[in-house]
Amino acid sequence: MKDNLVKKMLNGDIKALAKLITYVEENPDDRFCDNLPSKNAKIIGFTGSPGAGKSTIVSGITSNLRNKGKKIGVIAVDPSSPFTGGAFLGDRIRMKRHFLDSDVFIRSMASRGNIGGLNESIFDVIKIMDSFGFDYILIETVGAGQSEIEIVYAADIVVLVLSPGSGDEIQLMKAGIMEIADIYVINKADQDGANVLKTQLEALLSFSNSQKPIYTTVATTGIGIEDVTSSIIELLKNFEKSGELQKRTLRRNKKHVETIILRKVRETIESQKYDFTNTSSIIKNVIEKLCKEFES
């Protein structure tokens, strides 16, 4: 079944694409994605506080890129319930203006409780969507806050969306999420406090040696979205020329390897009845078991 889905997906079958994504989410140890051909899609991550307007900005940038004739894949990550493990997958609500566009594919994914904001299957989903032939893959994270930094390992470029009056002024004083952005967007720029937030951000970035762009938007009306889109395209070109894009691709692959190995270690520990009074013995046994598994 899977091989047939791969053939159909590579021939542009959107239903096969959707089914294949479900397959990799349910079968993380099937590594067929590693052999899929890359079509050099560019991956853009959007993160920031909940309510900052990430979905509206992603929707606006999708429209701009479609006007340039580009095919767009969107991955919208939703939080998982700590009690049931389920998630409200809200893709159809957030991106409804693109429902009838056959060159826009929107897929919701649950975070599955990952505190970094992304679950392991995001890496294989990116490979599948790249192989399908999207020009850009836009990833919108949960918006969990300061600890949500794993998008930097998945995306070629990270756009951090801030908004006045939502506590983002406090976030500016913290490490972590503020350090991963390549482009800063202050959304809801028509609201009180936007100029203060921009001034604070400029002051913060002045301490850094790198010059990073700051844009103001009112995403609900489209103001500023074209500037952000142009900035993303320009930065990607610069990264491609400088070799930075290749470095980030290798960083993504390295992170994927780490997540697979960590999961295998965790599964091995949980599946065995170890005597936890001897840590060294457990480590030795876990490594030996994993080595046997990978050799087989």
Side-chain angles (χ1 to χ4, degrees), residues 78-89 109-114 119:
D78 286 292
S80 300
S81 166
F83 305 106
T84 66
F88 174 72
L89 304 180
M109 292 182 66
S111 65
R112 299 183 179 177
N114 190 315
N119 74 59

Side-chain angles (χ1 to χ4, degrees), residues 3-273:
D3 292 342
N4 191 38
L5 286 176
V6 171
K7 287 180 183 176
K8 288 184 175 180
M9 183 275 291
L10 292 175
N11 286 323
D13 188 323
I14 201 79
K15 290 182 179 177
L17 169 68
K19 289 179 180 178
L20 211 50
I21 290 174
T22 301
Y23 177 84
V24 298
E25 289 183 303
E26 296 174 348
N27 301 276
D29 287 329
D30 189 335
R31 301 301 326 137
F32 77 94
C33 290
D34 295 338
N35 298 318
L36 291 175
S38 171
K39 295 183 180 175
N40 201 30
K42 302 298 185 294
I43 299 112
I44 319 299
F46 295 82
T47 191
S49 303
K54 296 187 295 295
S55 296
T56 312
I57 288 174
V58 169
S59 182
I61 289 174
T62 298
S63 296
N64 281 351
L65 292 173
R66 284 294 300 126
N67 290 337
K68 301 177 191 302
K70 304 300 182 183
K71 295 177 67 173
I72 311 299
V74 178
I75 303 172
V77 182
D78 286 292
S80 300
S81 166
F83 305 106
T84 66
F88 174 72
L89 304 180
D91 53 351
R92 295 184 183 280
I93 295 174
R94 291 185 288 200
M95 307 285 174
K96 57 185 178 183
R97 80 163 81 166
H98 305 293
F99 284 177
L100 300 179
D101 189 341
S102 60
D103 285 326
V104 177
F105 174 80
I106 303 167
R107 176 74 180 210
S108 286
M109 292 182 66
S111 65
R112 299 183 179 177
N114 190 315
I115 60 173
L118 303 175
N119 74 59
E120 177 190 324
S121 60
I122 190 87
F123 297 101
D124 282 337
V125 173
I126 287 171
K127 289 178 182 176
I128 293 172
M129 293 175 77
D130 174 23
S131 190
F132 182 81
F134 292 113
D135 298 295
Y136 293 90
I137 300 171
L138 311 184
I139 304 173
E140 180 195 343
T141 70
V142 171
Q146 187 186 359
S147 64
E148 190 190 90
I149 61 171
E150 290 200 352
I151 185 64
V152 77
Y153 299 109
D156 295 324
I157 283 180
V158 175
V159 179
L160 177 62
V161 182
L162 305 168
S163 66
S166 61
D168 284 338
E169 297 85 348
I170 304 297
Q171 295 294 329
L172 293 183
M173 295 184 286
K174 298 179 179 179
I177 195 167
M178 290 303 302
E179 299 172 358
I180 67 171
D182 298 297
I183 296 172
Y184 295 86
V185 175
I186 297 176
N187 192 35
K188 305 181 183 179
D190 55 340
Q191 294 187 4
D192 291 341
N195 289 334
V196 173
L197 180 58
K198 185 171 184 286
T199 301
Q200 290 174 332
L201 179 57
E202 289 170 341
L204 178 72
L205 295 180
S206 68
F207 293 107
S208 171
N209 291 327
S210 59
Q211 299 295 318
K212 297 182 178 179
I214 304 172
Y215 294 93
T216 55
T217 60
V218 183
T220 51
T221 63
I223 294 175
I225 298 298
E226 180 63 44
D227 291 337
V228 178
T229 308
S230 298
S231 180
I232 289 170
I233 293 172
E234 187 63 28
L235 191 55
L236 283 168
K237 288 180 181 175
N238 292 339
F239 278 0
E240 198 153 26
K241 289 178 183 174
S242 67
E244 179 66 20
L245 209 55
Q246 186 178 16
K247 288 180 183 177
R248 295 190 176 199
T249 300
L250 295 176
R251 180 176 67 184
R252 178 164 56 249
N253 292 341
K254 178 185 175 187
K255 185 66 176 179
H256 192 190
V257 171
E258 288 177 3
T259 58
I260 291 172
I261 292 175
L262 288 173
R263 174 176 55 79
K264 298 296 290 183
V265 169
R266 185 171 56 252
E267 289 175 351
T268 302
I269 293 173
E270 291 174 350
S271 66
Q272 304 296 310
K273 292 182 179 178

